[in-house]
Amino acid sequence: MASRSGGDVGVTRRSVVAGLTGGLAASSGCLSKIRALVGRSRPTTVSLSIKTLPVDQDPYAIAIARQLSAWLDAAGIQSTIQPITAEELYRQTLINHEYDVFVGQFPGSFTDPDAFYSLLHSTYSVESGMQNPFGYTNLLMDDLLERQRRETGRARTETATRIQRRLVQVCPFLVLGFPNVIRAARTDRFTGWNGVFDPSPVNLLGLNHTGDSATRLRATTPDDRPMANLNPLMSSYRGPSDITELLYDTLAYRYRGTLYPWAATNWEWTGEDPLELDVTLRDGLRWHDGTRLTASDAAFTYRLLQDTSLGSLSESVPTFRFRGRSSLVESVSAVDAVTVRIQFDDCSRQTARRVLTVPLLPEHIWTDRTNKATVSGVDVGVTTTDALVTSNIQPVGSGPFEFTSVTQGQTLVLEQFDDHFLQTSEETGLPSALADGPAFEEFELQFVGSDSSAVNLVANDEADVTALGVGPDLTSRIGRADDVSLNLDRSGAFYFVGFNTRRPPLTNPRFRNTLARLVDRRWLVESVFDGYVDPAVSPLAGTSWLPADLAWEPSNPVTEFLGSGGTVDPKRAREAFRAAGYRYNEQQRLLRS
Amino acid sequence: MGIVAVFLEVVAVLSFMLTVSLSVVVGPDRLWTALNDLPDRLRMAARPIGLLVAVLAINSQVRTTGVDLSWIIGYNITQLLYSIEGTVVATLQSAVPGWLTLYFGYVYVYGYAFLLVFPLLAGLVAAERRYLRHTAFAYIINYTIGMFCYLLFVSYGPRNYAIVEPFLFDMLPRFQLLTSQVNANTNVFPSLHTSLSVTVALLAIRDHETFPKWTPVAVVLAVSIVLSTMILGIHWATDVVAGTVLAVFSVWAVSSDRVASLFGRCQSLFDRWRRG
């Protein structure tokens, strides 16, 4: 408050001076010049705050942030780094948009160009959540995003290419690379560890036990959010390899690149204009509380995802996740107990299928969560619903595992759900790795303070696996431990630098584009990731959607680094910013205007 | 090794250290005399110790639930600490040879627990009343002020800022289970390891005559612990400075006649108010 009033005083003083000098000089005729000079505000220097996770929760993020800060400094841009605990970090960045620069991992994998829709479309720039967290707005981009939804075949590939090329030009966020996640796993109880957490922990169903009578799978995590909140709609609590995916079934599940019917037995396209899909559920599906899961629940889910108030509030209250997918749905209805009919907005079948991968929510639980959220009955003036604030403990889903217990900040225990279709059906049509059901009856997720304690627990046979990745400095200890294997999984959850394009000077695409050239991915690979990363410039790297000219190479012109050997050349950086229209003060600090 | 096992290990080592040190520092004669009027001594210790336990209970509650509150009301000063001191801790760490860091690792856990418990026990069995009371009150001052600082300031240590190697947990990973039980990783300013160790050392110097053999042990241990907090990458040098200031303040407060008379007056006022 004090500093703000100080600022006001400055303005007043300036206007007093202006008044005096103005009065004296009025006769001399240079009043207009004085007004032109005095009225100008003093240029301020650019200063950015970089928010990220501490080492205990992410082995790489803060090292990237510190390197980025050094690069910015060489270019005359001041920056401060704020390590923030996950829950708070994502509330600040995703919900409240309080950040300049964010460094971290994308919460999930990116396999289809339509994932860009919710991430970059202008209409989402004012919403909270995982939809357009960067506040990026561009009508041309909107047009491309809408087009790729309608298009198929080569036309769509071309549009996807244009989106990606545009993305690396205007840089609302910078993809750094896809980490090769390092995990320690015990091999004396379970085998087949590769890919069991990426992209989804549902892949844990593919584990085999070694014949030992192991019934409990013990995983460790440095992320305490799953022990505080199991609400699948809250983006600030959900990260890569989200544990709620074990609790909630989806209609379809993508396994190793193929979309398999999951809670559905099959689906059929029943209309073209508008596009219409009839999805048939499996027989005898039940929620964890024993209630029957019907088509009405599925239809309810899509309506809730579009507006969590179900029309009871004057404005719709959209979810913090799944916005891209739920926006594809025009209308949805339950034809009978096992058939859901979905009508789509203008889009292709290829894109429409994406709606089948949202979690199914029980109507009888969530229908009571559509009221305006209050704190102990007090309206706090925020228009949101209970569905978007509830911690959802205990969760009632229909997934292969059901909730058993949670100790706040310590342990989450799930157990096999006996009425799940994987247990009750003979023929599921799923690949055998999944169809055989889990190799363990209980799943325990234990919080640990840091990755080195996590590895220690696995080495001492107090845990079976580190659910999240550990730092590269631990590989030798994992290698030395008995009955422990070192697993490397290429994660789809890429590391990126996100810019809040709502805040100047980050509003300016030229500015962001120049910032992008201060980042040396090759250097990060060596100095931060110790080689455990595949550097990339597009989120679709590693898929067939990536155009050849955006494949990462050190000499790639779109990512040309303004320096060499990991050091920014201050002169070249200043030239680049000057070319973008920016100026420097005498101390070589970049000016805002 | 689970948390229980680690805890038992610490308790066992600590009991051994205390037994040896009590018999050497206090001496069998004084211990024997003390045993005879143990009931009296216990009664005398009940109030300061009880108060200390109460403060510790509140403190541990605040450290767990207060973390959330701290994110709401606190200032994130990690960057500030870094900009004040830069890579002092990293420099210190690189100057220490590997074998010595193992010593610091053990000192950080065992040495610290021992340093804090010994004066209480020794005061209980073999010293005038003042000794125990001053020790307990100095601890209380440290914990209380530390608790408020933890609420007001959110800050990660150098380990979490990736400027140093996380030595303690790399070499002795089992201890992280223990320290993460005791404390959140955002509670680093000030360093309570430093403030309490320095407090014990200062009190040992002040009351040198009571246990002459204890003074050198306390000073060496305190210095080692102070260094260990930085060498292990847990605290910033600024935290250590703040901890030392806190220690000096707490020892001054318990030693000062003026504080004592102020305290006495408050107590008599309170008594008068209670009697109506």
Side-chain angles (χ1 to χ4, degrees):
Chain A
M1 200 61 211
S3 68
R4 188 165 305 160
S5 65
D8 289 345
V9 169
V11 171
T12 330
R13 193 184 302 138
R14 205 180 300 148
S15 50
V16 168
V17 172
L20 279 177
T21 0
L24 289 172
S27 55
S28 70
C30 56
L31 182 62
S32 63
K33 188 180 176 187
I34 288 166
R35 277 179 62 192
L37 283 174
V38 174
R40 290 270 289 269
S41 56
R42 282 248 309 280
T44 50
T45 54
V46 174
S47 172
L48 301 173
S49 89
I50 305 173
K51 292 189 173 176
T52 192
L53 291 170
V55 173
D56 281 349
Q57 290 178 330
D58 188 316
Y60 305 116
I62 203 142
I64 300 172
R66 294 195 52 237
Q67 182 60 67
L68 180 66
S69 176
W71 284 329
L72 293 175
D73 190 58
I77 301 169
Q78 280 169 308
S79 57
T80 56
I81 301 168
Q82 287 192 44
I84 302 175
T85 193
E87 187 183 333
E88 183 65 22
L89 176 68
Y90 291 104
R91 181 158 48 234
Q92 289 184 11
T93 52
L94 294 181
I95 311 297
N96 297 334
H97 302 147
E98 292 164 358
Y99 75 103
D100 296 327
V101 180
F102 169 91
V103 174
Q105 232 181 330
F106 190 76
S109 56
F110 212 100
T111 48
D112 188 282
D114 193 48
F116 280 124
Y117 188 90
S118 60
L119 207 59
L120 297 173
H121 200 284
S122 306
T123 52
Y124 299 132
S125 68
V126 290
E127 287 186 12
S128 290
M130 208 39 230
Q131 54 272 26
N132 206 339
F134 317 109
Y136 178 71
T137 51
N138 185 303
L139 294 177
L140 267 166
M141 181 66 99
D142 290 353
D143 182 52
L144 291 175
L145 292 169
E146 284 156 25
R147 267 171 55 187
Q148 62 78 29
R149 290 197 141 179
R150 297 189 296 268
E151 289 168 345
T152 50
R154 185 182 281 173
R156 187 166 187 235
T157 312
E158 214 141 275
T159 309
T161 300
R162 286 181 63 190
I163 293 172
Q164 292 173 76
R165 287 199 185 126
R166 224 183 151 68
L167 183 75
V168 297
Q169 267 179 357
V170 298
C171 310
F173 64 97
L174 282 184
V175 176
L176 300 176
F178 292 80
N180 291 308
V181 178
I182 305 165
R183 288 192 177 87
R186 288 200 74 78
T187 49
D188 51 354
R189 288 151 53 89
F190 301 99
T191 56
W193 287 106
N194 270 98
V196 289
F197 286 102
D198 294 296
S200 164
V202 172
N203 287 1
L204 281 169
L205 296 175
L207 272 185
N208 303 306
H209 49 88
T210 53
D212 200 355
S213 58
T215 56
R216 179 177 264 227
L217 178 71
R218 306 156 302 171
T220 64
T221 176
D223 184 357
D224 56 356
R225 292 178 296 165
M227 294 83 178
N229 182 301
L230 290 167
N231 184 342
L233 304 184
M234 284 183 79
S235 57
S236 49
Y237 287 90
R238 310 272 75 90
S241 191
D242 176 20
I243 220 70
T244 62
E245 288 173 25
L246 288 174
L247 296 164
Y248 290 91
D249 275 335
T250 52
L251 289 172
Y253 181 66
R254 187 176 292 280
Y255 182 70
R256 312 220 156 152
T258 312
L259 195 67
Y260 291 95
W262 185 258
T265 48
N266 64 300
W267 50 77
E268 200 180 337
W269 300 98
T270 48
E272 282 305 324
D273 197 23
L275 191 61
E276 193 179 87
L277 182 69
D278 276 4
V279 184
T280 313
L281 299 179
R282 288 181 195 273
D283 285 328
L285 291 178
R286 285 191 185 278
W287 296 106
H288 295 157
D289 62 2
T291 319
R292 286 198 79 92
L293 191 167
T294 64
S296 161
D297 287 304
F300 168 84
T301 299
Y302 289 103
R303 283 198 296 272
L304 187 78
L305 291 182
Q306 288 183 328
D307 177 7
T308 55
S309 78
L310 292 179
S312 67
L313 298 179
S314 57
E315 297 282 336
S316 70
V317 183
T319 55
F320 296 148
R321 297 176 80 209
F322 313 115
R323 278 293 270 161
R325 278 171 267 181
S326 66
S327 71
L328 291 164
V329 177
E330 175 65 38
S331 70
V332 59
S333 57
V335 179
D336 55 51
V338 291
T339 313
V340 207
R341 177 164 297 163
I342 308 173
Q343 286 188 339
F344 293 91
D345 229 14
D346 200 6
C347 67
S348 69
R349 289 180 180 187
Q350 195 179 24
T351 307
R353 264 200 292 266
R354 295 189 69 231
V355 305
L356 301 173
T357 55
V358 300
L360 295 176
L361 303 174
E363 185 172 8
H364 64 282
I365 305 273
W366 289 78
T367 199
D368 296 332
R369 295 177 175 170
T370 56
N371 296 325
K372 189 168 175 176
T374 54
V375 177
S376 315
V378 179
D379 187 342
V380 288
V382 183
T383 308
T384 190
T385 54
D386 287 332
L388 297 181
V389 293
T390 175
S391 65
N392 194 35
I393 289 173
Q394 341 179 353
V396 176
S398 64
F401 285 85
E402 63 179 317
F403 175 85
T404 307
S405 67
V406 70
T407 341
Q408 178 92 33
Q410 298 292 331
T411 321
L412 171 70
V413 183
L414 310 180
E415 66 177 333
Q416 207 179 92
F417 177 44
D418 292 330
D419 287 341
H420 193 260
F421 71 82
L422 287 176
Q423 311 290 331
T424 53
S425 311
E426 286 296 309
E427 194 49 61
T428 56
L430 290 165
S432 66
L434 301 176
D436 295 346
F440 48 93
E441 280 163 27
E442 279 186 312
F443 176 73
E444 176 194 286
L445 190 64
Q446 189 192 345
F447 171 75
V448 285
S450 77
D451 53 357
S452 66
S453 338
V455 169
N456 195 50
L457 287 179
V458 173
N460 288 333
D461 197 12
E462 284 167 54
D464 294 300
V465 67
T466 56
L468 292 187
V470 302
D473 49 325
L474 293 165
T475 47
S476 62
R477 206 194 308 160
I478 298 171
R480 280 200 308 271
D482 294 330
D483 293 328
V484 174
S485 67
L486 178 83
N487 291 270
L488 290 179
D489 291 308
R490 182 193 187 273
S491 170
F494 52 88
Y495 275 89
F496 72 101
V497 177
F499 301 117
N500 190 351
T501 71
R502 302 169 187 87
R503 294 186 173 181
L506 294 166
T507 43
N508 184 345
R510 275 185 197 281
F511 181 82
R512 299 193 302 265
N513 181 283
T514 318
L515 280 187
R517 295 173 61 201
L518 299 177
V519 172
D520 186 357
R521 290 176 178 78
R522 182 163 49 169
W523 181 255
L524 290 176
V525 170
E526 296 306 324
S527 70
V528 173
F529 288 96
D530 212 359
Y532 293 97
V533 70
D534 299 332
V537 293
S538 165
L540 288 171
T543 70
S544 56
W545 297 102
L546 185 79
D549 56 318
L550 291 184
W552 188 80
E553 279 170 53
S555 58
N556 198 324
V558 295
T559 56
E560 193 205 8
F561 178 56
L562 292 169
S564 57
T567 314
V568 166
D569 178 351
K571 233 175 99 204
R572 280 180 69 195
R574 286 197 290 271
E575 269 166 30
F577 277 105
R578 286 199 175 107
Y582 285 85
R583 295 175 306 134
Y584 282 83
N585 67 9
E586 300 83 50
Q587 289 83 39
Q588 305 294 7
R589 291 275 159 211
L590 187 71
L591 296 175
R592 198 172 273 268
S593 56
Chain B
M1 202 186 284
I3 175 73
V4 182
V6 180
F7 185 71
L8 287 177
E9 177 192 320
V10 172
V11 169
V13 172
L14 196 60
S15 315
F16 175 71
M17 288 168 83
L18 286 170
T19 317
V20 172
S21 58
L22 275 177
S23 49
V24 173
V25 170
V26 181
D29 299 347
R30 275 159 93 183
L31 278 178
W32 184 246
T33 348
L35 260 171
N36 290 330
D37 50 26
L38 197 60
D40 268 356
R41 293 194 157 268
L42 281 176
R43 211 167 307 129
M44 164 199 101
R47 235 170 90 182
I49 295 287
L51 204 59
L52 179 61
V53 168
V55 169
L56 284 178
I58 296 172
N59 192 62
S60 79
Q61 189 60 34
V62 169
R63 283 198 201 188
T64 47
T65 57
V67 172
D68 288 338
L69 182 64
S70 189
W71 278 111
I72 298 170
I73 62 165
Y75 292 96
N76 194 335
I77 58 167
T78 316
Q79 169 82 20
L80 178 70
L81 297 180
Y82 177 66
S83 61
I84 290 173
E85 60 175 87
T87 54
V88 169
V89 175
T91 314
L92 184 68
Q93 200 180 55
S94 59
V96 174
W99 57 269
L100 203 56
T101 43
L102 198 64
Y103 159 76
F104 283 114
Y106 281 109
V107 157
Y108 183 82
V109 177
Y110 295 128
Y112 177 63
F114 169 68
L115 188 67
L116 259 54
V117 177
F118 180 84
L120 293 176
L121 271 185
L124 177 69
V125 296
E128 68 254 59
R129 205 170 150 187
R130 198 180 75 118
Y131 191 88
L132 178 71
R133 215 177 48 197
H134 282 191
T135 308
F137 281 138
Y139 287 4
I140 289 170
I141 293 171
N142 277 301
Y143 275 115
T144 313
I145 295 179
M147 188 170 72
F148 279 106
C149 287
Y150 290 162
L151 275 182
L152 290 177
F153 303 110
V154 178
S155 143
Y156 286 99
R159 175 175 64 86
N160 259 313
Y161 206 65
I163 71 162
V164 295
E165 302 292 320
F167 270 154
L168 176 61
F169 308 135
D170 278 354
M171 287 180 316
L172 307 163
R174 61 182 187 277
F175 289 138
Q176 185 158 35
L177 285 177
L178 203 65
T179 51
S180 67
Q181 286 287 322
V182 177
N183 212 344
N185 53 11
T186 48
N187 291 344
V188 303
F189 180 86
S191 160
L192 274 191
H193 259 76
T194 300
S195 77
L196 287 162
S197 307
V198 173
T199 301
V200 172
L202 290 176
L203 285 174
I205 293 169
R206 193 195 72 174
D207 302 329
H208 178 65
E209 287 74 30
T210 319
F211 303 114
K213 284 179 191 156
W214 170 240
T215 316
V217 177
V219 170
V220 169
L221 267 183
V223 170
S224 299
I225 291 164
V226 169
L227 287 175
S228 75
T229 60
M230 291 183 283
I231 287 162
L232 300 172
I234 295 162
H235 283 291
W236 301 93
T238 315
D239 304 333
V240 168
V241 171
T244 312
V245 171
L246 178 54
V248 171
F249 170 76
S250 71
V251 173
W252 170 81
V254 295
S255 314
S256 161
D257 291 337
R258 264 198 269 168
V259 175
S261 73
L262 191 71
F263 187 73
R265 216 175 309 156
C266 287
Q267 210 160 26
S268 65
L269 270 175
F270 178 72
D271 286 344
R272 214 182 307 160
W273 170 80
R274 236 187 8 188
R275 267 181 269 130

